[in-house]
């Protein structure tokens, strides 16, 4: 089996190790499901880090970093259908870092999300790095969603647009800045009118992603009512193609993606051209979209309010295929490899 | 109220912030107690980081870092009387870091401790930094232990020796190295015979602390049988004086410490002299001892097998006093301030 990325290779190695350890388990969903007795009291738990210079531009406002840290963790809970409940925060930062601004923003964002900040760890480090552990409970009337439940014949759905966040990352690398609620764009490339508006939205989308918790809960209710009807669910964090490959591998299936169905933000193609990027590469491999990718029995559809888009189908076999005007070809498994020294793109 | 340290000051500020947020809570025990329905299924959760160059010598064997990371988190669970159950690991490391050695050692150590590694996060960073979140359940027949339950009239107990770990840290700073199971001592100061043996034990104690889980569970059983008999419990991580001050502040009490009762490792005073350190300063403020500090009703005692030492008493009022041959004087609140740029010592 070819590893999808250095990260996946390491996780596969770890899973083999764990299989030999007594009690070992690493199911590989976006959040771990911690069993309890009775099972109704089980928790979903997830951990994610944001490191300055890696996940966020150096010098980013600590409040923006805090909200982004919570958002990416909430997205993992959304992918298992959990309702967020508790957080533990670990903040490592150099002297002079505005920890109060970080923690104040985290507390406020937690309160808005119904999360209780229950503990944490504060340490010194050269580079600001924040790690959040988030616990979610299973909502009444809901079922846990798993990455491994995709079945051949299911339809493949996407909860929102892809590629916009990566366009925002490129703009930040070129000098875009968030100043309060205002986004200052770099001088190059020159952007005006609706393209400048699209660029500002892309930067905001990258720095302040909106996790799809309500969609996750709706899928959890659907899964509880129609056993087997809701298939694999994953949040698109490392790139649509890579996360689809993970979902398919966990479920033992393949998939076909109809490229022209991929939802894009308004003026996305024009923006991609302006920053000299292939829009399809951004959509398939850009990552950090934080939308849910999921499969459903063809007789089911997600609630219309979420405006999900059907982008393809789950197939027997293990192949990943993309379909466009030119025909069918293998889907390149591109995405963000957290362990690739070159940056993963 | 004078802040105990920059870290305590920031946590106090955060607690005030949380008190205004709906659902906010930060009880400040070593592990957060996450309520569930039914209450018997509640979890204790804790998070702690180990950062190369801050908590561990740069270049430390990744396997040693992994075991230390688990040990310091287990010590927090010991302090609330929990039985460890699940872990989530976040590892940030530069290219070339031996992640498999780290994760392999973590898996093996988790298995020995009865912990299931259930998830995590792997990212790139300039400096190795590992964060572990650990979940513990309440053992049958046990009660949760709290930092805030010390009462005037209780006796003050210590689960093991203090100061040895800090001596080990000084030896590491002077060039001591762990090579497999062997400890290589630095050329200066010259140490031989029983002093060299004491130095090797100190280095091992620092790098491979032994969390007092069995003692924590025994105190939890005692607390379940004798309501109010078991008082405040905390693990000594930042220094006996600072952690005692935290326990007393959480409980609204004071304490007297009989300095000559403080348990010390064999040849500790000779070792402190050889490395030119005041043994009392090491014992009171050295930190990273990972022994339990707790208070008990005077009619109770911890099980003899744990060889705990009575070191003083809890008093009314808020004063912290030390008693030695010269008489009584204020206990200096010395310890490891994680947010002090000078290093906290």
């Amino acid at each position: 089996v070819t590893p999808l990325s250095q990260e996946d290779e390491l996780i596969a190695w770890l899973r083999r190790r764990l299989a030999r350890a007594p009690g070992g388990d690493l199911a590989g969903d976006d959040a771990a499901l911690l069993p309890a007795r009775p099972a109704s009291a089980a928790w979903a738990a997830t951990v994610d880090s944001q490191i300055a210079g890696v996940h966020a531009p150096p010098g980013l406002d600590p409040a923006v970093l805090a909200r982004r840290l919570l958002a990416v963790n909430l997205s993992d809970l959304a992918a298992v259908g959990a309702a967020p409940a508790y957080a533990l925060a670990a903040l490592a930062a150099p002297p002079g870092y505005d920890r109060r601004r970080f923690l104040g923003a985290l507390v406020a964002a937690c309160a808005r999300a119904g999360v209780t900040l229950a503990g944490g760890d504060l340490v010194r480090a050269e580079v600001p790095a924040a790690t959040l552990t988030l616990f979610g409970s299973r909502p009444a009337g809901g079922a846990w969603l798993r990455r491994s439940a995709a079945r051949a014949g299911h339809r493949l759905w996407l909860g929102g647009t892809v590629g916009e966040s990566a366009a925002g990352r490129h703009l930040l690398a070129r000098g875009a800045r968030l100043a309060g609620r205002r986004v200052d764009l770099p001088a190059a490339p020159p952007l005006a009118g609706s393209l400048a508006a699209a660029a500002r939205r892309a930067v905001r989308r990258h720095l302040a992603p909106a996790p799809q918790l309500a969609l996750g809960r709706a899928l959890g209710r659907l899964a509880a009512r129609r056993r087997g009807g809701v298939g694999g669910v994953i949040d698109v964090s490392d790139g649509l193609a890579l996360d689809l490959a993970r979902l398919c591998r966990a479920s033992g299936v393949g998939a076909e993606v109809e490229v022209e169905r991929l939802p894009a933000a308004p003026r996305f193609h024009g923006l991609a051209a302006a920053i000299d990027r292939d829009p399809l590469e951004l959509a398939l491999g850009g990552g950090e979209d934080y939308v849910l990718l999921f499969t459903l029995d063809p007789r089911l559809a997600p609630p219309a309010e979420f405006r999900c888009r059907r982008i393809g189908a789950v197939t027997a076999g293990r192949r990943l295929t993309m379909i466009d005007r030119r025909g069918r070809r293998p889907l390149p498994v591109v995405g963000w490899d957290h362990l690739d020294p070159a940056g993963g793109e």
Side-chain angles (χ1 to χ4, degrees), chain A:
Chain A
V1 185
T2 335
L4 299 171
S5 70
Q6 292 184 46
E7 184 189 5
D8 287 273
E9 187 178 9
L10 182 58
I11 291 169
W13 173 88
L14 180 58
R15 196 170 286 145
R16 292 192 299 272
R17 267 289 172 107
L18 283 168
R20 293 204 303 263
D25 183 29
L26 196 76
D29 294 290
D30 283 296
L33 302 177
L34 310 180
R37 291 180 204 89
S40 62
W43 290 95
T46 183
V47 62
D48 261 308
S49 301
Q50 293 275 297
I51 300 179
V54 179
H55 306 87
L60 183 68
D61 178 351
V64 177
L65 187 73
R67 288 190 285 266
R68 190 169 204 268
L69 177 67
L70 178 63
V72 304
N73 275 284
L74 286 171
S75 184
D76 282 326
L77 288 190
V80 298
Y86 293 100
L88 301 182
L91 174 63
Y97 187 79
D98 194 343
R99 292 183 180 88
R100 293 191 178 198
R101 187 161 169 80
F102 175 92
L103 291 169
L106 185 63
V107 167
C110 281
R112 283 192 297 273
V115 171
T116 299
L117 186 63
D121 188 37
L122 296 166
V123 292
R124 262 180 308 128
E126 297 288 310
V127 172
T131 300
L132 195 76
T133 307
L134 203 56
F135 306 79
S137 58
R138 197 175 65 187
W144 295 121
L145 304 170
R146 308 298 299 259
R147 192 178 284 193
S148 55
R151 297 294 169 257
H154 278 184
R155 285 180 175 159
L156 189 61
W157 295 82
L158 197 56
T161 64
V162 283
E164 187 182 31
S165 176
R169 192 171 61 234
H170 286 292
L171 287 160
L172 283 159
R174 290 183 182 210
R177 287 291 167 264
L178 188 69
R181 291 176 177 278
R182 199 183 70 236
V183 174
D184 293 331
L185 294 176
L191 295 166
S194 65
L195 270 190
R200 291 196 175 90
R201 280 194 308 267
V203 170
R204 277 198 201 93
R205 166 83 176 262
H206 184 75
L207 291 177
Q212 300 195 299
L213 285 160
L215 174 57
R217 277 198 296 260
L219 293 175
R221 286 192 297 269
L222 200 56
R225 286 202 309 270
R226 297 285 295 262
R227 201 159 289 268
V230 178
V233 185
I234 193 169
D235 84 311
V236 180
S237 54
D238 294 341
L240 174 61
L242 180 53
D243 287 319
L244 175 62
R246 288 170 175 155
L247 184 152
C248 287
R249 194 166 278 191
S251 301
V253 296
E256 294 173 344
V257 176
E258 297 173 55
V259 164
E260 271 143 46
R261 286 180 172 273
L262 289 179
R267 296 288 271 140
F268 172 66
H269 287 80
L271 179 61
I275 61 171
D276 204 23
R277 295 279 157 177
D278 177 357
L280 185 58
E281 270 180 33
L282 290 178
L284 291 179
E288 304 189 276
D289 307 291
Y290 300 110
V291 294
L292 297 186
L293 172 68
F294 56 98
T295 79
L296 291 181
D297 180 289
R299 286 159 298 184
L300 296 179
E305 64 190 284
F306 297 109
R307 307 175 71 173
C308 298
R309 196 78 69 89
R310 183 160 65 81
I311 62 162
V314 180
T315 56
R318 298 291 192 121
R319 235 176 296 217
L320 299 181
T321 306
M322 55 189 269
I323 305 173
D324 61 10
R325 271 165 294 186
R326 288 184 290 162
R328 303 166 64 88
R329 57 207 155 104
L331 179 75
V333 179
V334 287
W336 181 270
D337 185 349
H338 290 280
L339 302 188
D340 183 347
E345 285 185 78

